[in-house]
């Protein structure tokens, strides 16, 4: 993660240099992407839970384990309590914290001070002077995150069996590797059988920040979360505030009106709940694979079935409209995959929100560059290019100062070889 490094930020035609003004500008931008409140939607969820999770009772032992597992090097959060102190006193404070946690769960109320977040702006790419090129990472109270960890351990076994089978993000035993293996083995089987496959890589804009709280609570209830626990989640999501911490200064507080906190323990799990019904808008014959908010829609294709994939793409647009999400057509790409020299589907055009989607011959998918013929050439070339750039940097910086062969080898093994 690369934190903010620009000496100034641009706001229209103005140049902002004061640290507090920069912090306020960033916080205003992060706040601007939140969704406004919308009317409650009737859920079209595929699952109807036959089991309920209405309350949680934590034990002193699980609270102690959560405290004992803290990283003592983590920075202080909004409450100013260092993780090292909590870890060192875990056996002493665990009973008291357990009592407070259980009181919060039974009453369905999260203390207001545990819903405050310091935001660290992390630079993504392109122009570092634009606030839009930064991602907010929430630094929450460590006591609050310890609490979330305990709640997560009780909710995960209840919710995870209900998640879509091709969702591989934030789930135990699943990863980018498992998703790539599953999806591209299926596609490879189609190509080996002489078929062509069209794959549409989709991009949800600011997905984690646009989760509608009341809609998320509706989905949690559909999945069997009820009683005081549902009320606790309602309190957890409401009345949250954030401020940006930058160069030793703090911005003003602004309300968090939508989204799940990035940097929290429960945020990823809640996001999976929110998008879990997305595949239900896709018809039979097409597949959609998910890794958190990263998604791709694909099916074997010919001139007669092209309209079916377009229909499924339109269905996903309906889903986004129903649940307050937004696809970014300019970042959605189509890849016509085939082992044939001439791909018959290459001329087919897909549209999202009446905008044509760009067709590409290769694309970066969960860290792997995939080509339309499933060859490794582009991926290998990309890795070698990155390794050579790093090696060139080492030569320029260290060639004169480091002459010992063993030291050079150690540097190569530490910095260059991991890229290979």
């Amino acid at each position: 993660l690369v934190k903010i490094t620009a000496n100034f930020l641009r706001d229209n035609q103005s140049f902002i240099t004061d640290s507090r003004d920069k912090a306020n500008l960033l916080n205003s931008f992060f706040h601007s992407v939140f969704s406004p409140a919308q009317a409650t939607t009737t859920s079209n969820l595929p699952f109807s839970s036959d089991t309920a999770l209405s309350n949680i009772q934590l034990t002193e032992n699980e609270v102690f384990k959560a405290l004992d597992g803290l990283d003592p090097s983590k920075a202080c959060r909004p409450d100013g309590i260092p993780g090292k102190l909590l870890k060192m006193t875990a056996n002493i404070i665990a009973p008291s914290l357990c009592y407070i946690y259980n009181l919060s769960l039974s009453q369905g109320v999260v203390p207001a001070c545990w819903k405050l977040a310091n935001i660290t702006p992390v630079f993504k790419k392109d122009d570092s002077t634009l606030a839009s090129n930064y991602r907010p990472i929430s630094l929450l109270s460590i006591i609050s995150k310890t609490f979330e960890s305990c709640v997560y351990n009780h909710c995960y076994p209840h919710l995870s069996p209900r998640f879509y089978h091709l969702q591989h993000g934030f789930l135990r035993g699943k990863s980018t590797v498992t998703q790539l293996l599953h999806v591209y083995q299926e596609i490879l089987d189609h190509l080996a059988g002489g078929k062509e496959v069209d794959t549409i890589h989709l991009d949800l804009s600011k997905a984690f920040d646009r989760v509608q709280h009341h809609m998320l609570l509706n989905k949690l209830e559909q999945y069997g979360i009820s009683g005081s626990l549902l009320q606790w989640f309602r309190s957890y999501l409401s009345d949250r505030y954030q401020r940006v911490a930058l160069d030793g200064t703090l911005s003003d507080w602004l309300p968090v009106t939508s989204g799940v906190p990035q940097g929290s323990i429960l945020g990823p799990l809640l996001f999976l709940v929110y998008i879990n019904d997305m595949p239900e808008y896709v018809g039979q014959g097409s597949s959609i694979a998910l890794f958190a908010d990263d998604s791709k829609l694909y099916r074997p294709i010919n001139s007669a079935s092209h309209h079916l994939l377009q229909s499924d793409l339109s269905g996903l647009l309906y889903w986004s409209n129903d649940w307050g999400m937004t696809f970014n057509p300019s970042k959605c790409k189509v890849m016509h995959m085939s082992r044939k020299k001439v791909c018959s589907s290459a001329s087919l055009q897909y549209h999202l929100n009446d905008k044509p989607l760009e067709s590409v011959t290769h694309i970066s998918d969960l860290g792997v560059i995939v080509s339309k013929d499933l060859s490794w050439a582009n991926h290998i070339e990309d890795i070698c290019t990155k390794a050579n750039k790093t090696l060139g940097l080492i030569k320029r910086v260290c060639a004169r100062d480091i002459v010992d062969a063993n030291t050079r080898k150690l540097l190569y093994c530490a910095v260059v070889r991991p890229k290979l």
Side-chain angles (χ1 to χ4, degrees):
L1 297 179
V2 180
K3 298 180 181 179
I4 185 169
T5 57
N7 293 323
F8 65 90
L9 292 176
R10 285 187 290 159
D11 182 20
N12 294 324
Q13 300 300 317
S14 301
F15 292 83
I16 310 299
T17 58
D18 179 75
S19 293
R20 180 172 171 81
D21 291 340
K22 288 194 293 183
N24 278 318
L25 177 63
L26 286 163
N27 201 25
S28 295
F29 171 74
F30 296 149
H31 176 267
S32 70
V33 304
F34 294 141
S35 298
Q38 295 184 7
T40 302
T41 290
T42 302
S43 178
N44 187 33
L45 289 171
F47 302 105
S48 178
S49 180
D50 55 357
T51 59
L53 183 62
S54 59
N55 59 77
I56 293 175
Q57 185 73 23
L58 304 180
T59 66
E60 293 180 8
N61 185 53
E62 58 187 314
V63 174
F64 168 78
K65 286 183 177 179
L67 291 169
D68 192 52
L70 291 173
D71 183 352
S73 66
K74 293 293 185 181
C76 288
R77 307 304 171 95
D79 58 10
I81 302 176
K84 184 176 182 179
L85 177 64
L86 296 173
K87 183 180 177 71
M88 291 176 62
T89 60
N91 61 329
I92 300 173
I93 64 176
S96 299
L97 274 182
C98 183
Y99 174 79
I100 295 172
Y101 290 167
N102 282 326
L103 189 63
S104 171
L105 287 166
S106 64
Q107 295 185 356
V109 176
V110 178
C113 60
W114 291 354
K115 296 190 284 186
L116 303 177
N118 284 346
I119 300 297
T120 297
V122 176
F123 178 61
K124 294 185 291 186
K125 60 180 180 179
D126 298 331
D127 189 348
S128 63
T129 66
L130 295 178
S132 58
N133 289 329
Y134 289 86
R135 177 187 298 110
I137 298 298
S138 300
L139 298 180
L140 305 169
S141 160
I142 298 177
I143 291 180
S144 171
K145 291 190 70 173
T146 303
F147 189 11
E148 286 189 45
S149 178
C150 295
V151 174
Y152 176 94
N153 289 337
H154 283 263
C155 291
Y156 183 88
H158 176 82
L159 294 171
S160 60
R162 296 162 170 79
F163 290 142
Y164 175 57
H165 72 285
L166 284 183
Q167 172 62 267
H168 287 248
F170 307 127
L171 295 175
R172 295 167 185 168
K174 293 187 175 184
S175 65
T176 56
V177 174
T178 59
Q179 200 231 60
L180 290 169
L181 286 173
H182 182 103
V183 170
Y184 288 106
Q185 181 61 56
E186 182 182 350
I187 292 176
L188 182 60
D189 290 341
H190 288 307
L191 300 188
K195 298 179 180 178
E196 298 176 358
V197 176
D198 278 1
T199 306
I200 304 175
H201 295 258
L202 300 165
D203 181 84
L204 281 171
S205 179
K206 308 291 183 183
F208 282 80
D209 293 323
R210 288 186 169 146
V211 171
Q212 297 282 331
H213 292 162
H214 66 282
M215 294 180 175
L216 173 58
L217 291 166
N218 180 39
K219 293 189 174 188
L220 284 171
E221 190 171 15
Q222 289 283 337
Y223 286 177
I225 302 297
S226 61
S228 60
L229 182 57
L230 182 64
Q231 183 59 37
W232 185 89
F233 274 112
R234 181 174 285 108
S235 176
Y236 172 82
L237 292 168
S238 64
D239 299 321
R240 302 189 73 95
Y241 289 85
Q242 67 178 35
R243 63 184 178 184
V244 167
L246 179 66
D247 299 334
T249 64
L250 296 168
S251 72
D252 298 328
W253 290 103
L254 288 176
V256 179
T257 56
S258 68
V260 294
Q262 297 188 54
S264 67
I265 304 297
L266 287 170
L269 185 66
L270 294 174
F271 183 78
L272 295 188
V273 170
Y274 196 76
I275 68 167
N276 196 48
D277 62 338
M278 188 177 178
E280 292 302 307
Y281 288 69
V282 173
Q284 190 173 5
S286 297
S287 299
I288 181 169
L290 304 170
F291 190 90
D293 62 331
D294 187 288
S295 58
K296 46 186 170 281
L297 177 69
Y298 60 96
R299 72 174 291 145
I301 208 76
N302 55 47
S303 58
S305 60
H306 161 256
H307 71 283
L308 296 176
L309 189 59
Q310 176 61 61
S311 177
D312 291 330
L313 186 59
S314 299
L316 293 178
L317 182 62
Y318 296 146
W319 173 85
S320 69
N321 292 334
D322 285 346
W323 299 103
M325 291 289 180
T326 303
F327 284 108
N328 186 347
S330 65
K331 293 185 178 181
C332 296
K333 309 296 181 184
V334 178
M335 190 155 63
H336 306 284
M337 307 184 72
S338 175
R339 287 291 184 88
K340 302 174 183 177
K341 290 184 178 180
V342 179
C343 180
S344 60
S345 67
S347 61
L348 299 177
Q349 184 77 65
Y350 296 93
H351 294 79
L352 185 62
N353 207 16
D354 296 327
K355 296 180 180 178
L357 302 185
E358 179 186 359
S359 293
V360 296
T361 58
H362 58 273
I363 193 168
S364 180
D365 186 6
L366 301 180
V368 175
I369 296 181
V370 180
S371 302
K372 66 176 185 178
D373 59 354
L374 289 184
S375 71
W376 288 98
N378 288 293
H379 184 69
I380 293 172
E381 181 182 357
D382 180 69
I383 289 176
C384 291
T385 299
K386 290 178 179 176
N388 279 327
K389 284 183 179 179
T390 305
L391 185 60
L393 177 63
I394 292 175
K395 286 181 177 179
R396 291 191 298 273
V397 174
C398 306
R400 296 179 181 177
D401 300 328
I402 302 177
V403 295
D404 180 68
N406 289 329
T407 304
R408 288 188 175 190
K409 181 180 178 181
L410 182 64
L411 191 58
Y412 169 82
C413 292
V415 180
V416 179
R417 196 164 69 179
K419 296 183 181 297
L420 301 174

